[in-house]
Amino acid sequence: MGDNSTDTPQPKSDRGNLKSSSRRRNGQQAACEPCRKAKLKCDHAFPVCSRCRKRRTLTQCVILAAPMTKSKQATTVASKLPSHTLAQVSSPASCVEVRRVDSRQESKWSSESSGFLGPTSFSATVQHGSLAEEPKVVSDSNAEIDVEKPAQLQIGVQVLMKLPGEEACQNLMEWYLDNVVVVGAHKLSRRLTLKALWLSYGNLLRGQRNAVDLEIIAKDVLRNESIPLKQIDDPMEWIASFSGANTRWEVIGLLFTAFAYALLSWPEKHLSLTFGEKGGDRNALVAEMKSCIEACIELCRNSLNNLVCNLLYWNVLLETVLSGDSSLSAWRLHNDLVGTTVAFGLHCYQGASRVTLHSEQTKTLSACIFWIDKELSIFTGRPPSLSHRYYSCPLPLDLNDETLMRGGAELEREIQSLDQNGWNTQGRVFEATIVRMMLVFALIQDEIMEMFLGNQAQWSLQRLDELKSRTRDSYSKFPKQLQVSKTDLTACKDDQLMWRLMTARFDYLRINFLLERLSTERGGASMRKLLEVAREMLDLTVFLWLERDRSANRKHDYDCMIMSYGMPCIGILCTEFLKQVKNPKEVEVKLPCSEIVQNLSMIIGFLDWVRPAAGNYKLCCRMSRVIRRVLDQVFEPVPERGIRDTGILLETPDSIWPVDELDDLDWLNSIDWTRGPFGDLDWLNSTDWAQGQVGQFG
């Protein structure tokens, strides 16, 4: 830990370097502590001896430089260590080794890399064995690892100073594991890395923290950052490679993301009990966690691995929660994520062909990044940054995380039980189940965005029909538990499962909505199917509002849900509803007035309920005022002398949207919700503003 106590545990990876210090007086190599105390012969296997591995006491398999020697300092340090070990974590295969990975061991396989280099890269033609350069070996000399950078040490100390206390960390993590519905976070590893952090550095983190102690930890973590991560098939060894004494800034950042998401749904009454005076401002606490996450990203800026990509992914998601999905900051962070993802090669999986926890988590992360790229693209109407044309990472298998952790024969049985498409046959919904569905939908959405935003060559009725057919076929191949209706959601007893199934239905409806928009706008198809889909999307959005008590832990996502899924369908329905009110005999499809009015009224309540701290709060306020104005014009029409505008609400039903002069579906494109007059909608009730526009709009 940075001290020189005589009984400091030494990692087994250092055994080759402890010829003098770890040899007994008779010249024999010292045994690990469990074998020494049991007076049994230790086989010194790396990283854990056979006996400790068999007894699953991985964390206790350490070699003490002088086990029979005690010092006052050592006694003090030992007394501060937690009484529990990772072996006590209530999860399958829960033992994690917390000893440091030695750079000498790493030097056999590590080399500096520029990341993923494809077949057209500068080095592609010199990859032949006879031409390839010898890999540059990572040095094992601490003198060559610069951890004395004052700026980095200062940032690291500040991050560690913000780490909640041990009890607060445990409470936040347990709340996160039990109550927060997220996809793409391997929760078991989060719990294990937190346990390992406090097991390894608890003596320096407990009590009143000081910069000197925290600098010791910061230096250790900076050294770890210089050691590249490698692909390890064994789940325990993989987690051990970046936890405990091997902790990296990426891991600390991921712990802060778990704390931040826990705080977003943390009960109000517990905030002050956990954080004292700071507990009065939830937003300030989350913002503080967010700043620590960004500091960790800066500290691992020169690293390139799946942990970095994972951290960048969750940082983008948090930014959308805090600043909104249309914010420039979220878009910039997202492009940093995409650039790192491609540089690391997550878009074309290069890992082992056998199924392991590491391989499946890598595929899951790749799928989540591809999905968020499409979500932000659809929300903003901007071209995606990751194209399906260059994406070849396979779907993760529909396996439970606990099964992947256990591995062995049980994992093989689960793999054999999957159907021919890779779905589980148990009728259960795992995290991998949702991730697979997300990626299937995202690949279709990517092609839809090509037709909306691409050049003329990307559009054709034939391609549109093919996408419709593929959407139906893909959905029909989903397990029955994913093909739900509102009735199924109401009957679902598991609130977290209800949320996941509801988002699955929303995604399927949105794809159909976008395809029907293309059919109507460019293919001249009937409005009937589009309006049917729009009505179901609106009804499901109202369902989300009515069932809000069942998903209270996701209230920070409500503003995104209503803007992503509710707003587009509301626009279509408002346009057709106003057209029907004005010229009822000329409409192609007659909407049920009572249903539309009731649902729009409920949506107003939903929008007004969104809290001011929400990232999309201003957009929700604007949408609420627009819908109010629509209903006002329906029930209290004003005289025909009103002024017509090109896509902005004025004083008459005609002027709400000029349905006679513009394409009925173009109103969404004619309104910029983030700037211009919609920055302040007080002008909606201002006669002076309308009169001032006479000269402009005629």
Side-chain angles (χ1 to χ4, degrees), residues 620-634:
C620 290
C621 289
R622 296 165 191 170
M623 191 64 185
S624 173
R625 298 172 76 170
V626 168
I627 298 174
R628 289 177 189 274
R629 193 62 175 164
V630 169
L631 295 180
D632 287 344
Q633 296 294 344
V634 168

Side-chain angles (χ1 to χ4, degrees), residues 531 534-535 538 568-578 591 596:
L531 293 177
R535 286 173 57 191
L538 177 58
C569 68
I570 289 171
I572 294 295
L573 292 172
C574 284
T575 299
E576 289 302 304
F577 189 43
L578 289 170
L591 295 170
I596 299 300

Side-chain angles (χ1 to χ4, degrees), residues 113-124 127 342-345 347 350:
S113 172
S114 300
F116 172 78
L117 297 175
T120 62
S121 67
F122 64 90
S123 61
Q127 292 301 312
V342 175
F344 184 58
H347 62 294
Q350 302 291 313

